[in-house]
Amino acid sequence: MADHSKMKLGRKAIKTDSRTLMLGDYLAPSLPPPPPTADWTKGITSWGMMLNDTLGDCTIAGCGHAVQVWTANAGSEVTIPDPTIEKYYEKWDGYKPGDPSTDQGGIELDVLNDWNKGGFAGNKLLAFADPKPANLAEVRQSIALFGGVYIGLSLPITAQKQDVWDVVANGGDNAKPGSWGGHCVFVPKYDQNGFTCITWGAPKTMTVAFWYAYCDEAPALLNQDWLSAKGSPGGFDQAQLLADLKAIV
């Protein structure tokens, strides 16, 4: 049985911005439904902890795992080294090495804005847009079209020792959202039964019920390498999204 109880989390409370673009506004009605399954893990076997076993840097580790997925599918996999991960945890989330009081995690929206403005270890984020977490068709479409979603979870204590994350019926206080804490992960895979994220150096599957109960953020990320390799998907108005983004930043 899994035991993640000693692992770090690190997603702070959700921050919203009325200017955040909504993915559904850029998906044409003619776009076919998402496929029943999508898997962009590309046979990757060494994901790396990205320091999230010792630091609450999940908002940065999630970015690192996204880069692994995109680059593996666009040509040659790139794994960002731990010292660089730590540098961005300092830069974007305010961590100061040697001062545990500054290991406070990060805010997803702030991290994505910083990535969009300045890049992440040479990896460009063109834009991000939010599918509604409860709209599984949009979420699956995001994964199928863009390689994954960067999600926030309000994890329950019951998730600490589950091989597959699932809702525990009659779990009491230990099953309440956030009773363990907030966590950020990248999700590059789904099927009709659930979703698979990358966390603490390995894939982790969650059921659809778990997603509904505990996922509260799910931005889709548009990466330059991915779009250069795959092209802009038909039925997705990338040009309008980028124009709208330029108007608000």
Side-chain angles (χ1 to χ4, degrees):
M1 182 176 68
D3 185 354
H4 302 304
S5 59
K6 304 301 182 184
M7 291 298 174
K8 299 288 188 175
L9 303 180
R11 188 208 59 168
K12 290 183 177 178
I14 298 171
K15 180 178 180 179
T16 60
D17 186 334
S18 60
R19 299 172 299 170
T20 299
L21 303 177
M22 303 307 295
L23 184 71
D25 293 341
Y26 305 95
L27 301 178
S30 59
L31 186 68
T37 66
D39 181 2
W40 298 111
T41 56
K42 197 70 175 182
I44 299 170
T45 57
S46 180
W47 293 97
M49 192 67 69
M50 299 200 176
L51 304 177
N52 201 202
D53 55 339
T54 58
L55 295 175
D57 69 334
C58 62
T59 54
I60 311 301
C63 299
H65 290 135
V67 168
Q68 286 179 301
V69 169
W70 291 329
T71 55
N73 284 277
S76 180
E77 180 199 334
V78 172
T79 296
I80 297 172
D82 285 353
T84 304
I85 294 290
E86 185 177 69
K87 181 185 80 171
Y88 279 92
Y89 188 39
E90 295 175 47
K91 184 177 180 180
W92 290 350
D93 289 342
Y95 173 63
K96 296 180 181 179
D99 183 354
S101 70
T102 64
D103 182 14
Q104 297 292 325
I107 295 171
E108 285 197 20
L109 180 63
D110 289 347
V111 167
L112 294 181
N113 280 326
D114 285 336
W115 189 355
N116 179 244
K117 291 172 184 175
F120 174 54
N123 297 275
K124 189 173 182 181
L125 183 66
L126 293 180
F128 59 93
D130 282 2
K132 297 179 177 67
N135 186 330
L136 295 193
E138 282 190 8
V139 170
R140 289 173 176 140
Q141 199 74 269
S142 299
I143 297 170
L145 295 178
F146 308 119
V149 286
Y150 176 82
I151 75 168
L153 296 165
S154 291
L155 287 178
I157 291 171
T158 52
Q160 291 181 349
K161 296 185 179 182
Q162 289 182 314
D163 292 321
V164 173
W165 278 340
D166 199 0
V167 173
V168 176
N170 302 314
D173 289 344
N174 285 352
K176 288 183 176 179
S179 54
W180 183 7
H183 195 37
C184 173
V185 295
F186 190 69
V187 180
K189 179 180 178 180
Y190 71 83
D191 59 26
Q192 292 305 297
N193 297 315
F195 298 87
T196 298
C197 69
I198 309 302
T199 184
W200 305 309
K204 187 74 176 179
T205 298
M206 66 188 81
T207 65
V208 170
F210 187 91
W211 178 285
Y212 276 131
Y214 302 112
C215 178
D216 45 25
E217 296 184 275
L221 312 183
L222 279 67
N223 169 257
Q224 181 66 70
D225 288 335
W226 179 272
L227 293 174
S228 295
K230 306 289 185 182
S232 181
F236 168 66
D237 196 343
Q238 177 183 329
Q240 186 61 56
L241 185 148
L242 294 177
D244 290 348
L245 179 67
K246 187 175 181 180
I248 63 175
V249 298

